[in-house]
């Protein structure tokens, strides 16, 4: 999980727990507030029930008067109309109730049924079909249910004891009023019948007792103020008149005629009921006010608690978000800085430090200080400490990299110093060899001297490798472009088994620019050396060259065991992206090749061959190529199968040895002169082709011989290889022919998939190759070697003398050239 999600989870869990407990704590207060709200609604309905009770009492009195012929229908109609309005109000408020206690709900159900039956009861009153007893009983039942409802709401859940007493006291005043109403009807009934009976008399007395008990309950349950209200209200003249008439009626015995006037009684009792209704209304308002105040206080309390919890929750969330955002932002900045350092900054610094001269004289500590601090998130908390620790790690990494770069520079300087000393020693050795060769006339010793000369060439290549690894070049630049075939021959002469290199298809007109001749020759020499080292000693290494649009491709094909795909991929990656360090000693040659190729934009790639072995493909870009200085010899038509029509090809010479080109000393950068057959002035000055088995020399008259030497009289003499038995006579190596190979055709015309030229059956071989090394028999199928022509000692002496003179002239010319170069360099 991301850190922001973890922080959200870390804050959410305790908040959820806190909210849960807060809800549980708020539940009672909320419940009390809801109960107070329901109680307020029930008390409001109770006020409507009290008013409905009063109107039913008036309607009952009017109905009793109408039935007993003591009243008129108009009074009954007015009271009925007032009752209907009260019923409508009662029912509208009754619909707002959500829950009612069980006893109160039963009373409401009976009230609802009576209201539905009121039209039939009124019809009976109007028609006179109902008795006074039945009539008064019906009204008495519904009024009792209304009073029971008022008394029942005191049993609702959550009602405070004081509030419940007040509700019961309000019900008591309603009950007292009902007793007065029943008393009114009982007297009116007695007046209609001519006096009290025993039963009606007991009913009258019961109403007086009930009123007294009801008012006593009011005084006991209600506050003192309510008693004051009742006493003051009933102390007026109307109340006193009603009480006087009540006392007169109470003194009337059964079966005696009532002396009280019916109209006065109806008016006095009606006034007393009105007075009681006023007190009852004030008490209902007091109860409603008390309940409303209780509901308001509980609602405010519950609201305050809820608001407090919400504010606490919101505050906790806000604080968590602010702190979390700051923490997440700092962690994100730390992460971004770490990513930038790991993937961009530190690799860039490492790349810069890997370049030669990156330190510019600064110490590793100064380089580390100069790199600065990548992480700006610091402080006294843990995140700041991590940032400071990361800065310390970055500082130490840069310091170590700078120290490593310093060590590499010192090592590179050591390599360059060793290479220059080795070059000086090689130059001295070459000079000594030249002096010895100048005075040597023994062919066997000359063979040994030229073998040492070849060894000096290989030593020079190793010295050049050290210079390249140290960050320097060869220190030599040619003045003229030369052909690609000449560069290949020069490269082959720098390896040990030069006789195993076989030139294949070489397209004419491909030259190498003078400024990159030595680097290209060095690249090809390293690749040829690898090919000859890691292939069977009796197999040839083929070289082919052709144009590909504006580029040129050189393929070197061997017949070794090959390399695995994984290792080939790693080697190709190293060839495309040369390492800054010294590299693996086992693949130092390829490391040098990669550096030289990257210097000139040359692409070197190792490929898998269709047969055994490996193909090394060198792609020379347009900036490396130049026009060949000499014209190529066109091949006969149809000489090679698959050659591209209209393209001219060179006929390569056999590679015979390091003496094919003149050796000239290079004075630049302390490195030995070019002993790879490429002169300092760009001249491909050919002397007698050298073979360790038999050396040729140029005669005094300057005539040129191939694989042979010209005598003092200018005639061309041919030397042959010595016989395996060690014959000391010189001889010429007979050219051998390539065997016929049936190879698949590649995508390049005239070249097989292995990079060698295609051959047709029964087609004469075009290029001679050498036989086995050290005078061994040539491969089967080759032409028989001609028998050597014997010479006497005088002829041999003349030949060696001529060769010595030619070497002496070449050495003198080289010395003069070196002096001239030194003079030109000093002038510059």
């Amino acid at each position: 999980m991301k850190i922001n999600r973890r922080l959200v989870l870390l804050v959410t869990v305790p908040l959820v727990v806190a909210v849960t407990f807060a809800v549980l704590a708020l539940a009672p207060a909320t419940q009390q507030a809801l109960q107070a709200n329901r109680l307020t609604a029930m008390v409001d309905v109770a006020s409507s029930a009290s008013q409905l009770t009063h109107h039913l009492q008036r309607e009952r009195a009017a109905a009793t008067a109408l039935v007993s012929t003591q009243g008129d229908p108009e009074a009954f109609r007015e009271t009925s109309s007032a009752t209907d309005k009260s019923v409508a109000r009662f029912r509208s408020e009754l619909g707002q109730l959500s829950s009612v206690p069980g006893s109160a709900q039963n009373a409401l159900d009976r009230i609802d049924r009576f209201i539905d039956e009121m039209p039939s009861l009124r019809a009976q009153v109007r028609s006179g079909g109902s008795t006074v007893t039945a009539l008064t009983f019906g009204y008495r039942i519904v009024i009792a249910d209304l009073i029971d409802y008022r008394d029942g709401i005191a049993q609702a859940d959550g009602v405070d004891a004081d509030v419940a007493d007040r509700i019961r006291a309000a019900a008591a005043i309603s009950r007292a009023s009902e007793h007065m109403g029943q008393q009114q009807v009982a007297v009116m009934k007695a007046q209609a019948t001519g006096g009290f009976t025993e039963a009606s008399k007991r009913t009258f007395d019961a109403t007086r007792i009930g009123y007294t008990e009801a008012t006593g309950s009011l005084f006991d349950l209600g506050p003192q103020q309510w008693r004051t209200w009742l006493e003051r209200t009933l102390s007026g003249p109307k109340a006193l008149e009603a009480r006087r008439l009540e006392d007169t009626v109470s003194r009337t015995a059964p079966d005696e005629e009532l002396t009280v006037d019916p109209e006065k009684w109806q008016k006095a009792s009606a006034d007393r009921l009105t007075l009681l209704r006023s007190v009852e209304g004030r008490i209902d308002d007091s109860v409603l006010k008390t309940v409303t105040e209780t509901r308001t206080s509980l609602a405010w309390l519950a609201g305050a608690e809820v608001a407090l919890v919400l504010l606490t929750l919101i505050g906790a969330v806000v604080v968590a978000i602010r702190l979390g955002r700051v923490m997440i932002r700092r962690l994100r900045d730390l992460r971004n800085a770490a990513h930038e350092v790991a993937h961009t900054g530190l690799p860039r610094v490492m790349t810069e430090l890997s370049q030669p001269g990156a330190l510019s004289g600064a110490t590793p500590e100064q380089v580390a200080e100069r790199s600065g601090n990548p992480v700006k998130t610091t402080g006294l908390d843990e995140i700041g400490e991590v940032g400071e620790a990361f800065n310390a790690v970055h500082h130490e990494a840069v310091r170590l990299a700078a120290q490593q770069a310093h060590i590499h520079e010192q090592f590179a300087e050591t390599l360059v110093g060793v290479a220059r000393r080795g070059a000086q020693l090689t130059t001295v050795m070459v000079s000594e060899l030249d002096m010895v060769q100048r005075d040597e006339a023994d062919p066997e010793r000359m063979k040994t001297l030229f073998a040492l000369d070849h060894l000096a060439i290989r030593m020079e290549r190793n010295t050049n490798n050290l210079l390249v690894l140290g960050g320097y070049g060869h220190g030599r630049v040619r003045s003229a472009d030369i052909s690609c075939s000449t560069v290949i021959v020069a490269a082959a002469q720098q390896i040990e088994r030069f006789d195993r290199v076989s030139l294949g298809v070489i397209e004419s007109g491909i030259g190498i620019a003078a400024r990159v001749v030595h680097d290209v020759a060095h690249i090809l020499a390293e690749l040829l050396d690898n090919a000859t080292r890691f292939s069977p000693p009796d197999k040839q290494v083929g070289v082919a060259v052709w144009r590909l649009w504006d580029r040129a491709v050189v393929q070197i094909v061997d017949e070794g065991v090959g390399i695995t795909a994984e290792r080939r991929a790693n080697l190709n990656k190293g060839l495309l992206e040369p390492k800054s360090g010294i590299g693996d000693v086992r693949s130092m040659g390829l490391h040098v090749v990669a550096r030289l190729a990257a210097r000139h934009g040359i692409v070197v790639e190792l490929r898998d061959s269709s047969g055994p072995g490996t193909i090394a493909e060198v792609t020379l870009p347009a900036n490396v190529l130049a026009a060949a200085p000499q014209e190529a010899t066109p091949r006969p038509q149809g000489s090679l199968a698959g050659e591209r029509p209209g393209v001219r090809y060179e006929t390569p010479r056999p590679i015979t040895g390091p003496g094919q080109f003149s050796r000239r000393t290079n004075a630049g950068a302390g490195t030995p002169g070019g002993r790879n057959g490429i002169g300092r002035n760009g001249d491909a000055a050919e002397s007698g082709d050298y073979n360790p088995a038999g050396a040729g020399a140029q005669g005094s008259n300057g005539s040129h011989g191939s694989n042979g030497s010209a005598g003092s009289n200018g005639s061309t003499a041919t030397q042959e290889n010595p016989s395996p038995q060690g014959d000391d006579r010189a001889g010429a190596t007979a050219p051998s022919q390539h065997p016929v190979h049936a190879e698949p055709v590649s995508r390049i015309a005239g070249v097989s998939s292995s990079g060698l030229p295609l051959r047709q059956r029964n087609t004469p071989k075009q290029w001679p190759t050498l036989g086995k090394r050290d005078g061994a028999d040539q491969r089967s199928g080759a032409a028989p070697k001609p028998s050597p022509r014997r010479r006497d000692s005088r002829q041999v002496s003349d030949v060696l003398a001529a060769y010595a003179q030619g070497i002496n002239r070449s050495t003198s010319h080289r010395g003069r050239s070196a002096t001239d170069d030194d003079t030109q360099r000093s002038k510059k």
Side-chain angles (χ1 to χ4, degrees):
M1 295 175 63
K2 295 289 186 180
I3 188 64
N4 52 356
R5 295 183 180 179
R6 293 186 180 184
L7 290 176
V8 169
L9 184 61
L10 184 63
V11 173
T12 302
V13 171
L15 283 180
V16 170
V17 174
V19 169
T20 302
F21 282 103
V23 169
L24 294 177
L26 290 175
T30 306
Q31 185 67 22
Q32 290 178 2
L34 294 176
Q35 291 174 353
N37 186 59
R38 289 194 296 266
L39 180 61
T40 303
M42 289 187 291
V43 171
D44 195 12
V45 173
S47 299
S48 299
S50 176
Q51 186 177 6
L52 178 60
T53 301
H54 178 67
H55 286 289
L56 287 174
Q57 290 172 352
R58 291 183 60 192
E59 182 179 348
R60 180 180 58 185
T64 303
L66 182 61
V67 172
S68 61
T69 65
Q70 296 178 5
D72 56 356
E74 183 63 24
F76 178 73
R77 187 185 64 79
E78 291 178 359
T79 57
S80 298
S81 177
T83 302
D84 290 337
K85 293 179 180 180
S86 182
V87 168
R89 179 184 175 186
F90 175 78
R91 281 192 165 180
S92 65
E93 295 181 358
L94 191 64
Q96 298 177 2
L97 296 179
S98 58
S99 62
V100 179
S103 59
Q105 184 63 44
N106 295 332
L108 290 177
D109 294 339
R110 292 191 297 268
I111 293 170
D112 190 64
R113 288 195 299 269
F114 175 80
I115 292 174
D116 294 336
E117 296 174 356
M118 281 184 65
S120 61
L121 180 62
R122 289 173 178 176
Q124 293 178 5
V125 171
R126 292 188 183 96
S127 63
S130 176
T131 62
V132 176
T133 303
L135 176 66
T136 57
F137 181 77
Y139 282 101
R140 180 179 178 181
I141 294 299
V142 67
I143 292 173
D145 289 334
L146 289 172
I147 296 174
D148 290 342
Y149 165 76
R150 290 171 60 87
D151 197 21
I153 61 177
Q155 302 176 2
D157 295 335
V159 179
D160 185 68
D162 183 63
V163 175
D165 290 340
R166 288 173 179 263
I167 293 173
R168 294 189 180 95
I173 191 64
S174 296
R175 190 173 293 108
S177 177
E178 170 61 13
H179 285 300
M180 289 296 98
Q182 292 179 10
Q183 186 184 69
Q184 179 187 23
V185 172
V187 172
M188 291 175 65
K189 179 180 177 182
Q191 287 176 347
T193 57
F196 285 115
T197 62
E198 293 292 337
S200 60
K201 182 62 176 178
R202 287 193 297 268
T203 301
F204 178 81
D205 294 336
T207 57
R208 297 187 68 182
I209 297 172
Y211 174 80
T212 302
E213 292 178 354
T215 54
S217 299
L218 172 65
F219 298 156
D220 294 338
L221 299 176
Q224 183 64 33
Q225 185 181 12
W226 290 4
R227 182 174 183 176
T228 303
W229 290 348
L230 182 60
E231 291 177 349
R232 288 180 179 180
T233 301
L234 296 180
S235 61
K238 293 181 180 181
L240 293 177
E241 178 65 19
R243 184 178 299 176
R244 185 183 65 80
L245 294 178
E246 178 186 358
D247 291 340
T248 301
V249 172
S250 65
R251 290 193 295 267
T252 303
D255 298 333
E256 289 183 1
E257 183 178 0
L258 292 174
T259 60
V260 176
D261 184 57
E263 293 182 0
K264 290 183 178 180
W265 173 253
Q266 291 181 14
K267 183 178 183 305
S269 60
D271 292 340
R272 185 166 57 178
L273 289 176
T274 303
L275 293 174
L276 288 175
R277 171 66 195 130
S278 64
V279 175
E280 184 179 1
R282 295 181 67 181
I283 291 175
D284 289 340
D285 293 340
S286 177
V287 173
L288 181 60
K289 181 180 179 181
T290 302
V291 173
T292 303
E293 290 177 354
T294 304
R295 179 193 65 178
T296 303
S297 63
L298 291 176
W300 276 106
L301 179 61
E305 292 181 358
V306 172
L308 180 61
V309 171
L310 290 178
L311 289 177
T312 303
L313 178 62
I314 293 173
V317 171
V318 170
V319 172
I321 290 175
R322 291 182 62 87
L323 295 179
R325 289 180 61 183
V326 172
M327 186 182 302
I328 291 173
R329 183 175 66 251
R330 297 184 65 192
L331 288 175
R332 188 178 290 113
D333 293 341
L334 183 61
R335 180 200 62 185
N336 294 337
H339 278 289
E340 196 277 334
V341 170
H343 301 291
T344 305
L346 196 58
R348 183 178 63 251
V349 173
M350 297 301 177
T351 303
E352 293 175 356
L353 292 177
S354 64
Q355 302 300 324
L359 296 180
S360 301
T363 63
E365 188 65 30
Q366 292 174 347
V367 173
E369 292 292 339
R370 191 169 54 196
S371 64
N373 294 327
V375 180
K376 306 303 180 183
T377 304
T378 58
L380 301 178
D381 58 350
E382 288 77 2
I383 299 177
E385 293 176 355
V386 172
E388 293 178 357
F390 191 84
N391 289 335
V393 171
H394 177 266
H395 180 276
E396 186 65 18
V398 174
R399 190 189 67 80
L400 290 177
Q403 186 177 0
Q404 191 72 15
H406 181 66
I407 295 174
H408 286 171
E409 287 185 358
Q410 290 181 342
F411 186 65
E413 293 176 358
T414 303
L415 286 180
V416 172
V418 171
R420 287 175 177 173
R421 292 185 181 182
Q424 294 175 0
L425 295 177
T426 304
T427 302
V428 173
M429 184 178 67
V430 169
S431 300
E432 295 296 331
L433 286 174
D434 289 341
M435 293 178 61
V436 173
Q437 290 174 357
R438 187 183 308 129
D439 300 331
E440 185 58 51
D442 188 358
E444 290 296 329
R445 293 181 179 177
M446 286 295 292
K447 174 181 176 181
T448 303
L449 292 176
F450 276 99
L452 294 176
D453 186 85
H454 186 209
L455 181 61
I457 293 176
R458 291 159 55 196
M459 291 173 62
E460 179 188 359
R461 181 166 61 87
N462 289 333
T463 301
N464 292 334
N465 285 345
L466 296 180
L467 288 174
V468 172
L469 294 178
Y472 293 86
H474 292 111
R476 69 181 72 164
V477 177
R478 292 182 53 81
S479 61
D481 305 333
I482 63 174
S483 64
C484 185
S485 61
T486 304
V487 174
I488 295 173
V489 172
Q493 291 172 355
Q494 299 181 45
I495 67 175
E496 180 181 2
R497 295 300 305 273
F498 59 88
D499 55 339
R500 290 177 53 201
V501 178
S502 175
L503 298 182
V505 174
I506 300 179
E507 189 173 331
S508 64
I510 301 176
I512 305 299
R515 61 183 178 82
V516 295
V517 164
H518 290 283
D519 287 345
V520 173
H522 197 168
I523 291 173
L524 298 179
E526 292 295 338
L527 296 176
L528 289 172
D529 187 53
N530 281 346
T532 55
R533 285 179 181 274
F534 298 101
S535 61
D538 58 343
K539 299 293 184 180
Q540 294 291 310
V541 174
V543 183
V545 184
W546 63 85
R547 280 192 178 274
L548 187 63
W549 293 288
D550 60 338
R551 294 166 290 173
V553 178
V554 180
Q555 279 193 347
I556 300 174
V557 185
D558 63 64
E559 299 184 18
V561 296
I563 56 179
T564 62
E566 181 179 0
R567 177 166 174 75
R568 183 168 59 253
N570 293 332
L571 292 177
N572 285 329
K573 182 178 180 182
L575 290 172
L576 290 176
E577 301 175 358
K579 297 180 181 179
S580 58
I582 303 303
D584 191 359
V585 178
R586 295 174 297 178
S587 58
M588 184 178 64
L590 293 180
H591 190 57
V592 171
V593 169
R595 284 201 175 186
L596 293 176
R599 183 181 301 173
H600 302 291
I602 300 173
V603 179
V604 181
E605 183 180 3
L606 301 179
R607 294 186 176 182
D608 189 17
S609 177
S610 59
T614 304
I615 299 176
E617 185 175 280
V618 182
T619 303
L620 305 175
N623 60 343
V624 173
L625 301 178
Q630 71 272 9
E631 292 294 332
T633 303
R635 293 184 179 277
Q637 294 294 330
S639 62
L640 288 177
E643 288 185 352
R644 292 178 291 177
V647 178
R648 303 179 65 184
Y649 299 90
E650 296 183 8
T651 303
R653 299 179 301 273
I655 300 173
T656 55
Q660 185 174 354
F661 299 95
S662 63
R663 302 184 306 274
R664 298 182 180 182
T665 304
N666 180 24
T671 57
R675 303 184 59 82
N676 54 3
I678 303 173
R680 175 204 277 170
N681 297 328
D683 303 330
E686 298 184 6
S687 63
D689 290 347
Y690 168 71
N691 191 312
Q698 185 176 357
S700 60
N701 59 356
S703 61
H704 174 71
S706 175
N707 269 346
S709 56
S712 60
N713 56 359
S715 61
T716 302
T718 303
Q719 291 183 345
E720 299 177 353
N721 292 332
S723 62
Q725 288 77 12
D727 191 357
D728 58 354
R729 293 173 299 175
T733 303
S736 62
Q737 298 178 348
H738 290 288
V740 177
H741 295 283
E743 296 185 356
V745 179
S746 69
R747 295 182 179 180
I748 302 175
V751 182
S752 67
S753 60
S754 61
L756 296 177
L758 296 174
R759 299 287 187 268
Q760 291 181 345
R761 295 185 181 275
N762 300 326
T763 301
K765 282 58 176 187
Q766 298 297 328
W767 302 304
T769 58
L770 295 178
K772 295 186 176 180
R773 194 175 182 183
D774 295 335
D777 294 338
Q778 296 178 352
R779 62 182 65 179
S780 60
K785 181 172 64 177
S787 58
R789 183 170 58 86
R790 294 185 176 275
R791 296 178 182 179
D792 55 15
S793 59
R794 185 182 298 275
Q795 291 176 335
V796 174
S797 177
D798 292 340
V799 169
L800 294 179
Y803 179 76
Q805 292 176 4
I807 293 298
N808 187 18
R809 290 182 179 182
S810 175
T811 304
S812 299
H813 178 68
R814 181 185 60 198
R816 288 194 301 272
S817 299
T819 304
D820 294 339
D821 288 348
D822 293 337
T823 302
Q824 294 293 335
R825 189 178 296 105
S826 64
K827 290 180 179 181
K828 292 180 181 180

